[in-house]
Amino acid sequence: MKYPCHRYRLEIFVALFDLPLEQLRSYRPDRDEPADFDAFWARTLAEAAEFDLAPEFTPYDAPYTGVDVYDVSFAGWGGHRINGWFLTPRGADGPVPCVMHYIGYSGGRGFPHDHLLWPAAGHAVFVMETRGHGGASPHAPGTTGDPHGSAHAQAAGMMTRGILDPDDYYYRRVFTDAVRAVNAAAGHPAVDASRIVVSGGSQGGGIAQATAALHPRVAAALIDVPFLTHFRRAVEITDAEPYQELVRFLATRREAGEQVFRTLGYFDGLHFAARGQVPALYSVALMDDICPPSTVFAAYNHWQGPKEITVWPWNRHEGGQGYQREEQLRYLHKLLSAS
């Protein structure tokens, strides 16, 4: 006798593991930033400015009737070419606002059709690829290597690259690329340079958070479940990737803890948030074990400019997804219409 074979999909849900929401709303930990934090970033950006930005916007043949698409590249940190997409509403009446989109960990720029939301709302979007990422993502492949480490896009594993020296650390290059990308977007004739918004989720949220603090031309920030924030607490309370890359490194380099956290001090979202002056819309998911809620609220509560946060109580790292995009569309419509 044959018995039917039933397939079951196991879904694992993470319980609330962080502070209660009422405590999260007031969680504002002390910051221990390097004394030369501002000098470090001023020097970094000054060194990058010695390279010609040399932006290239190459028309891309895509069958869209209402959107113009460009294959983009520009010179980021060290003069290295960084790729991306630039999409703008076709036939717009004058320069339009531009949303800078920074990508989550391990993802590449993907395809133009992945980024049609903002042009549909009347905004340009500039998608910056994260150097070295996207080599193992079939849904969002990458095309930009990191010549400082690997000339090709690769799988995840960037958290400890160069971590014993702030000058060599991987995210020094990435954050510099992100600032330079704003310059590339601002120089395009279709863009209103006074209305540039930075955005991203997870790693992209951490990059947007840093860029909003580092670039004076940024007008607003959309920051979803940001990674690269409150490093020490993150590695102490979550066993999820990518923070576990740091844990594994420290488990084998037992003498390097002080140096590792010294380096991370120059890249911690807490310190960038404390310098954030522009309007910001954050989002947080209370079951997020990848970017724990307390790390998000720590940055949000340090943010100095006008701010709002959307809380998704029953979600993990996916956060609000389409619901959050609706929140962002309405937020930007109101904000940019008033400017």
Side-chain angles (χ1 to χ4, degrees):
M1 178 177 180
K2 294 183 178 180
Y3 293 91
C5 178
H6 297 283
R7 293 185 178 182
Y8 298 93
R9 187 177 72 174
L10 179 62
E11 300 237 4
I12 301 174
F13 294 92
V14 175
L16 296 171
F17 69 99
D18 209 334
L19 300 172
L21 181 57
E22 60 271 19
Q23 293 183 31
L24 289 170
R25 291 195 182 279
S26 60
Y27 180 63
R28 194 173 185 272
D30 293 337
R31 296 184 303 106
D32 182 20
E33 71 176 43
D36 63 340
F37 181 92
D38 291 317
F40 172 85
W41 281 107
R43 173 173 60 83
T44 295
L45 297 179
E47 290 175 1
E50 295 177 2
F51 294 90
D52 185 358
L53 187 64
E56 297 179 1
F57 294 84
T58 303
Y60 183 82
D61 184 15
Y64 308 137
T65 59
V67 178
D68 291 321
V69 181
Y70 299 87
D71 192 336
V72 176
S73 75
F74 65 94
W77 184 92
H80 303 155
R81 299 305 294 181
I82 307 299
N83 300 327
W85 295 118
F86 179 70
L87 287 73
T88 187
R90 183 172 297 168
D93 184 17
V96 297
C98 183
V99 176
M100 307 296 302
H101 178 67
Y102 303 114
I103 300 169
Y105 199 76
S106 80
R109 66 178 181 169
F111 303 93
H113 61 253
D114 298 326
H115 309 289
L116 294 173
L117 174 66
W118 293 114
H123 310 320
V125 62
F126 189 112
V127 182
M128 186 198 86
E129 204 156 55
T130 314
R131 58 168 63 218
H133 280 200
S137 177
H139 304 295
T143 61
T144 303
D146 180 15
H148 199 70
S150 172
H152 305 285
Q154 63 181 68
M158 305 296 194
M159 287 294 292
T160 61
R161 182 178 285 185
I163 200 168
L164 296 181
D165 185 342
D167 278 0
D168 288 338
Y169 191 44
Y170 170 73
Y171 282 102
R172 182 183 186 226
R173 303 190 288 282
V174 171
F175 290 175
T176 302
D177 295 342
V179 170
R180 302 267 288 174
V182 173
N183 293 338
H188 194 281
V191 170
D192 180 349
S194 69
R195 294 188 293 172
I196 293 179
V197 178
V198 292
S199 74
S202 193
Q203 175 185 255
I207 297 171
Q209 191 169 239
T211 307
L214 291 171
H215 202 301
R217 237 173 179 166
V218 170
L222 306 174
I223 301 170
D224 293 327
V225 294
F227 181 47
L228 308 170
T229 297
H230 205 0
F231 285 105
R232 190 177 287 274
R233 179 166 176 81
V235 299
E236 289 175 352
I237 69 170
T238 182
D239 58 3
E241 302 290 348
Y243 282 119
Q244 279 297 299
E245 292 179 24
L246 295 173
V247 174
R248 286 193 296 273
F249 182 86
L250 290 169
T252 58
R253 297 291 298 273
R254 294 167 175 81
E255 79 292 348
E258 183 177 344
Q259 181 58 51
V260 164
F261 284 106
R262 177 182 179 276
T263 292
L264 293 175
Y266 292 95
F267 306 92
D268 198 318
L270 285 186
H271 310 323
F272 291 114
R275 291 162 169 80
Q277 301 291 331
V278 299
L281 175 62
Y282 275 75
S283 73
V284 62
L286 298 188
M287 290 187 172
D288 189 348
D289 61 330
I290 293 176
C291 295
S294 57
T295 67
V296 177
F297 270 100
Y300 174 76
N301 291 331
H302 274 291
W303 190 270
Q304 297 299 298
K307 58 191 176 184
E308 300 176 25
I309 189 166
T310 309
V311 178
W312 302 103
W314 307 107
N315 290 92
R316 297 179 68 181
H317 193 54
E318 77 279 1
Q321 296 181 304
Y323 294 95
Q324 185 63 21
R325 299 293 84 75
E326 289 281 332
E327 295 283 336
Q328 292 175 338
L329 285 163
R330 292 187 173 92
Y331 178 83
L332 278 194
H333 178 75
K334 181 178 179 182
L335 182 71
L336 297 177
S337 296
S339 62

